């Protein structure tokens, strides 16, 4: 089992920045990569970005150049630095820990944190 606790959401003006944190605990040896997803009202959950255990990152096109994922393995924590925020970034953001070797891949989810960007 893996437990994930997110923090750092809130209300910010367009153009501003926020940093989300995701503290992981439990059986982390089975995790292949950590990711951030988001879900806006009336929309499907989408991948924002992910980082592998080796530090390889990938991002959705909509956030490239604005968002950065990083990890501190000493703290078992993953971060999402969000800059130049836009109103369309408003969503509940979820941290996920994925076991990619299972078919289908298995995701552990955090409880979510609300990010609201005002125009």
């Amino acid at each position: 089992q893996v437990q994930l606790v997110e923090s750092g959401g809130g209300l910010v003006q367009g153009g501003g920045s926020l940093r989300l944190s995701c503290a992981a605990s439990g059986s982390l040896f089975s995790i292949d990569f950590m990711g951030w997803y988001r879900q806006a009202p009336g929309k499907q959950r989408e991948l924002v970005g992910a980082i592998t255990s080796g530090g390889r990152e990938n991002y959705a096109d909509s956030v490239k150049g604005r968002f950065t994922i990083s990890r501190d393995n000493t703290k078992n924590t993953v971060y999402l630095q969000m800059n130049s925020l836009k109103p369309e970034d408003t969503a509940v953001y979820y941290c996920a820990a994925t076991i990619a070797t299972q078919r289908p891949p298995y995701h552990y989810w955090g409880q979510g944190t609300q990010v609201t960007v005002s125009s």
Side-chain angles (χ1 to χ4, degrees):
Q1 290 292 319
V2 173
Q3 294 78 42
L4 304 170
V5 179
E6 300 116 332
S7 60
L11 173 64
V12 65
Q13 281 193 329
S17 299
L18 281 175
R19 189 177 81 156
L20 306 182
S21 300
C22 173
S25 60
S27 302
L28 302 181
F29 63 90
S30 62
I31 300 304
D32 295 299
F33 63 87
M34 301 288 294
W36 287 95
Y37 293 72
R38 67 185 181 187
Q39 187 166 19
K43 294 188 177 181
Q44 288 190 332
R45 190 171 298 188
E46 63 175 358
L47 176 67
V48 174
I51 185 167
T52 67
S53 55
R56 179 182 292 181
E57 305 161 34
N58 71 284
Y59 300 94
D61 288 342
S62 59
V63 305
K64 280 181 182 176
R66 300 189 298 123
F67 291 11
T68 303
I69 291 178
S70 61
R71 62 191 299 162
D72 184 339
N73 291 330
T74 65
K75 298 180 179 179
N76 291 329
T77 300
V78 176
Y79 304 95
L80 180 66
Q81 178 67 44
M82 304 184 292
N83 299 327
S84 302
L85 282 161
K86 305 175 181 179
E88 51 263 44
D89 294 318
T90 295
V92 177
Y93 283 70
Y94 297 91
C95 177
T98 300
I99 304 175
T101 51
Q102 290 190 8
R103 290 292 181 268
Y106 185 82
H107 304 286
Y108 292 95
W109 295 100
Q111 80 282 4
T113 185
Q114 177 70 45
V115 171
T116 302
V117 184
S118 63
S119 56

